[in-house]
């Protein structure tokens, strides 16, 4: 029944309880089967953006500069034989941007373009909807989380931690 | 208030009637009994119940609640009335302001669900979110979702371990979530003797809690362990209660009633994702409209390797597992 359903579903018109999200979004520069979709912005969530406030080839006076100089970042990304460095992704000359292997600047809001260089399978699934997740609504304008909402870009693997809760045994014998 | 308890009140006038007329034949006896029952019922509504049985208002509400129809036979007006009564009863009994809805299924929507076995790491955020959203019993620790920790190569949750409590994920293991699959050909619906459970046009299998007699045939019929039974009155702290409720979803159940996952009907019919999907930290859960060719769930079905648990039973569950 559902395998052959082809009629488009215009959910914006049919569901009046779907509201605009209270987050800033940006249109993704990729198309999926239903047209354009949006993703959360990243730049609002980075503390001390823009980066060029400090990184600008001029001497700057910053209080507590030693503590603020990204010492807490641990880079666990890439293979052991070929680990990534800061400038694999960050543009050395224009600090507000990321940079691809081909030397093209990528805005922080569109980081999927950068991640997708290596993780092209995940990017394909993310564009289609099998990787990542939508925000709040299954209906209405499609807004998905960006890569960095779930993964820490500096150590993208999920951490080992305790589960949030536990399941009681079904029966005493088993 | 259970009207059957009136029997005690009914019996007293019955004897008096008999003494008066003396000729206490079967017909007179029944007449007297019926009159007495009607009288005591009216008296109860008029406020003779006393403090023990609750206020007059509460009693009247409960009386009406007891004689309401099956949800599918109600008109929209009757649905609105029962919802108003339930809201008032919640206010009187527990002092909580709930907003209940009876939102109807949306045209052109058939809900489907997919679970990424590769992505799930067993953090159980979904389980906690489900318990909170659906007002599940905290006392008996009821949960709709179970996450099974399985070794590579195991194919069925029946051999997995759902009782794990250690840091996750563990090497060489994967995690598989199990809940109600909302089968298109649901065995539980066929088993129910009172038609208290049925499938809605949008594919959600729901329970009318007030029509459930607690026989638990559906538990026996379900091959997936998708249903839960209330052995006691559910205990939910007032401040933790989800106030936005649905008549067929997370409204409070009583003792001896069956309940189950409803794909969070109170959320999904408002266009929102179910609580488990929204809580998932790894994005292993995909939810959407199967009839929409542009939806995520259709992308998964078209492009990923999917399987369904116990597909050979022919239950046609609308819940797929897939791997990356």
């Amino acid at each position: 029944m559902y395998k052959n359903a082809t009629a488009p579903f215009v959910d914006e018109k049919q569901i009046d309880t779907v509201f605009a999200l209270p987050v800033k979004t940006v249109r993704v520069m990729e198309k999926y089967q239903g047209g354009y979709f949006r993703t959360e912005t990243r730049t609002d969530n980075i503390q001390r953006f823009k980066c060029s406030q400090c990184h600008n080839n001029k001497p700057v006076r910053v209080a507590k500069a030693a503590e603020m100089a990204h010492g807490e970042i641990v880079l666990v990304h890439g293979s052991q034989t070929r680990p990534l460095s800061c400038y694999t992704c960050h543009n050395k000359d224009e600090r507000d941007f990321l940079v691809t292997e081909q030397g093209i600047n990528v805005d922080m809001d569109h980081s999927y373009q950068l991640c997708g260089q290596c993780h092209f399978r995940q990017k394909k699934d993310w564009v289609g909807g099998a990787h990542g997740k939508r925000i709040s609504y299954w209906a209405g304008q499609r807004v998905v989380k960006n890569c960095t909402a779930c993964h820490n870009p500096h150590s993208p693997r999920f951490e080992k931690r305790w589960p949030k809760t536990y399941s009681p045994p079904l029966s005493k014998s088993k | 208030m259970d009207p059957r308890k009136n029997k005690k009140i009914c019996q007293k006038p019955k004897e008096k009637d008999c003494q008066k007329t003396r000729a206490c034949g079967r017909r007179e006896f029944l007449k007297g009994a019926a009159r007495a029952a009607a009288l005591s019922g009216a008296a109860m509504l008029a406020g003779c119940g006393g403090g023990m049985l609750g206020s007059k208002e509460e009693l009247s509400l409960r009386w009406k609640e007891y004689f309401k129809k099956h949800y599918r036979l109600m008109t929209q007006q009757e649905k609105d009335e029962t919802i108003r009564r339930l809201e008032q009863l919640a206010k009187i009994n527990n002092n909580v302001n709930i907003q209940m809805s009876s939102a109807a299924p949306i045209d052109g929507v058939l809900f489907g669900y997919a679970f990424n076995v590769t992505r799930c790491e067993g953090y159980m955020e979904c389980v906690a979110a489900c318990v909170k959203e659906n007002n599940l019993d905290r006392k008996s620790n009821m949960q709709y979702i179970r996450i099974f920790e399985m070794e590579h190569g195991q194919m069925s949750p029946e051999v997995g371990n759902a009782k794990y409590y250690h840091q996750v994920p563990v090497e060489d293991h994967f995690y598989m979530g199990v809940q109600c699959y909302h089968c298109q050909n649901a065995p539980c619906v066929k088993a129910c003797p009172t038609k208290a459970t049925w499938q809605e046009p949008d594919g959600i299998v729901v329970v009318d809690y007030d029509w459930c007699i607690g026989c638990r045939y559906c538990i026996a019929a379900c091959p997936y362990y998708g249903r839960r039974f209330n052995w006691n009155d559910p205990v939910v702290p007032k401040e933790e209660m989800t106030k936005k409720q649905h008549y067929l979803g997370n409204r409070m159940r009583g003792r001896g009633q069956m309940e189950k996952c409803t794909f969070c009907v109170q959320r999904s019919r408002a266009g929102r994702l179910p609580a488990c999907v929204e809580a998932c930290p790894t994005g292993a859960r995909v939810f959407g409209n199967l009839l929409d060719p542009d939806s995520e769930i259709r992308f998964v079905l078209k492009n990923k390797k999917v399987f369904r648990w116990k597909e050979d039973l022919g239950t046609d569950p609308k819940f797929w597992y897939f791997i990356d």
Side-chain angles (χ1 to χ4, degrees):
Chain A
M1 174 171 127
Y2 29 83
K3 280 158 204 149
N4 303 321
T6 48
F9 177 74
V10 189
D11 36 29
E12 287 95 332
K13 285 180 188 164
Q14 295 186 32
I15 306 172
D16 50 3
T17 44
V18 177
F19 307 110
L21 288 167
V23 289
K24 273 192 188 172
T25 57
V26 58
R27 201 174 87 174
V28 176
M29 293 186 223
E30 300 271 344
K31 268 188 139 179
Y32 85 123
Q33 61 265 40
Y36 293 105
F37 65 106
R38 301 181 77 83
T39 185
E40 278 180 311
T41 54
R42 170 71 176 160
T43 40
D44 320 65
N45 298 332
I46 303 174
Q47 295 165 350
R48 315 196 298 263
F49 193 79
K50 294 180 161 203
C51 311
S52 54
Q53 287 169 31
C54 299
H55 300 278
N56 52 11
N57 292 337
K58 287 176 209 149
V60 274
R61 281 176 170 273
V62 181
K64 295 185 188 167
E67 289 166 33
M68 286 171 76
H70 309 306
E72 81 282 5
I73 290 175
V74 182
L75 197 62
V76 192
H77 199 163
S79 65
Q80 291 213 327
T81 46
R82 273 184 60 202
L84 306 186
S85 76
C86 307
Y87 300 128
T88 316
C89 302
H90 289 277
N91 192 335
K92 202 173 180 177
D93 306 314
E94 290 177 77
R95 295 300 182 104
D96 292 335
F97 291 96
L98 304 165
V99 65
T100 64
E101 288 290 307
Q102 293 165 330
I104 301 163
N105 276 356
V106 172
D107 196 282
M108 297 270 184
D109 286 339
H110 296 280
S111 55
Y112 53 89
Q113 290 175 329
L114 187 94
C115 308
Q117 295 178 105
C118 303
H119 308 285
F120 46 87
R121 269 192 216 98
Q122 282 82 347
K123 189 185 165 193
K124 194 175 145 228
D125 282 347
W126 176 78
V127 171
H131 185 110
K133 56 191 284 192
R134 281 178 74 139
I135 303 168
S136 294
Y137 296 108
W138 63 266
Q141 168 73 54
R142 184 174 178 230
V143 184
V144 295
K145 294 213 173 197
N146 59 25
C147 311
T148 46
C150 303
H151 301 280
N152 177 353
H154 300 124
S155 59
R157 192 170 285 276
F158 288 117
E159 280 172 9
K160 202 168 179 171
R161 63 173 164 94
W162 285 93
K164 177 105 175 188
T165 177
Y166 66 96
S167 282
L170 277 184
S171 58
K172 280 172 191 168
S173 58
K174 204 178 173 186
Chain B
M1 163 74 208
D2 189 343
R4 279 169 297 185
K5 286 178 189 162
N6 291 349
K7 273 177 190 167
K8 276 182 190 169
I9 313 167
C10 301
Q11 272 159 6
K12 275 184 187 170
K14 207 159 54 191
E15 287 160 13
K16 275 183 192 169
D17 284 0
C18 291
Q19 281 167 359
K20 266 182 198 169
T21 51
R22 285 193 188 165
C24 198
R26 188 166 168 274
R27 185 164 302 202
E28 281 76 22
F29 175 82
L30 285 174
K31 262 189 195 169
R35 207 183 304 134
L39 269 174
S40 67
M44 212 175 63
L45 283 178
C48 287
M52 198 184 78
L53 300 170
S55 69
K56 181 181 164 187
E57 191 194 2
E58 185 193 347
L59 219 55
S60 148
L61 289 170
R62 290 176 112 167
W63 179 268
K64 283 177 192 153
E65 269 298 287
Y66 194 83
F67 291 106
K68 69 182 174 187
K69 286 189 206 157
H70 186 283
Y71 184 76
R72 282 203 284 181
L73 299 177
M74 284 186 209
T75 60
Q76 189 56 46
Q77 194 197 344
E78 283 169 326
K79 283 178 190 173
D80 293 342
E81 280 169 6
T82 183
I83 279 166
R84 218 178 310 124
R85 283 199 296 267
L86 288 168
E87 283 175 351
Q88 281 173 335
L89 277 172
K91 176 77 185 151
I92 293 167
N93 291 332
N94 294 328
N95 196 22
V96 279
N97 292 311
I98 57 170
Q99 298 106 43
M100 203 181 286
S101 106
S102 64
I106 307 156
D107 284 337
V109 173
L110 185 71
F111 289 120
Y113 206 115
F115 186 96
N116 192 337
V117 184
T118 321
R119 288 276 158 246
C120 180
E121 309 272 30
Y123 295 138
M124 282 190 154
E125 301 270 354
C126 49
V127 180
C130 173
V131 168
K132 171 127 191 19
E133 170 68 28
N134 288 305
N135 295 330
L136 299 190
D137 183 18
R138 310 293 203 273
K139 200 176 161 195
S140 68
N141 208 350
M142 190 189 284
Q143 293 165 351
Y144 289 163
I145 308 171
R146 284 179 84 81
I147 307 284
F148 287 85
E149 185 176 71
M150 304 190 2
E151 285 170 32
H152 281 315
Q154 291 180 331
M155 287 300 286
S156 165
E158 280 162 344
V159 291
N161 170 24
K163 297 182 287 179
Y164 66 87
Y165 194 64
H166 46 67
Q167 290 204 332
V168 286
V170 178
E171 289 280 301
D172 295 327
H173 282 73
F174 71 96
Y175 297 85
M176 189 165 172
V178 171
Q179 61 196 75
C180 173
Y181 293 154
H182 297 271
C183 308
Q184 202 66 16
N185 183 17
C188 53
V189 171
K190 292 180 201 161
C192 182
T194 59
K195 297 193 176 174
T197 183
W198 69 94
Q199 186 168 52
E200 290 274 285
D202 57 2
I204 302 177
V205 177
V206 291
V207 182
D208 185 343
Y209 305 119
D210 293 324
W211 279 76
C212 176
I213 55 170
C215 68
R216 287 170 280 137
Y217 283 11
C218 50
I219 284 197
C222 179
Y224 302 109
Y225 188 73
R227 296 187 151 247
R228 303 288 183 272
F229 186 67
N230 284 300
W231 292 96
N232 286 298
D233 276 317
V235 180
V236 180
K238 202 165 62 177
E239 55 281 0
E240 285 180 31
M241 190 180 283
T242 307
K243 308 286 191 305
K244 279 218 160 72
Q245 301 182 352
H246 193 284
Y247 188 88
L248 300 170
N250 57 349
R251 76 179 165 104
M252 287 314 295
R253 283 75 55 173
R255 183 173 62 185
Q257 290 170 350
M258 192 54 72
E259 61 178 286
K260 64 189 283 300
C261 158
T262 56
F263 279 166
C264 286
V265 60
Q266 66 280 0
R267 291 169 146 252
S268 52
R269 282 194 186 161
R272 293 175 70 200
L273 293 167
C276 49
V277 181
E278 200 165 317
C280 181
T282 62
R285 292 168 175 269
V286 180
F287 181 81
N289 181 6
L290 285 169
L291 300 181
D292 179 7
D294 302 330
S295 65
E296 282 96 345
I297 182 88
R298 285 286 288 272
F299 177 87
V300 170
L301 297 186
K302 213 181 285 172
N303 296 290
K304 308 301 285 186
K305 290 179 184 121
V306 294
F307 69 96
R308 295 192 276 188
W309 186 26
K310 295 188 185 174
E311 193 163 21
D312 46 323
L313 296 178
T315 51
D316 197 4
K318 289 191 292 298
F319 193 105
W320 286 264
Y321 292 98
F322 68 105
I323 48 176
D324 266 352

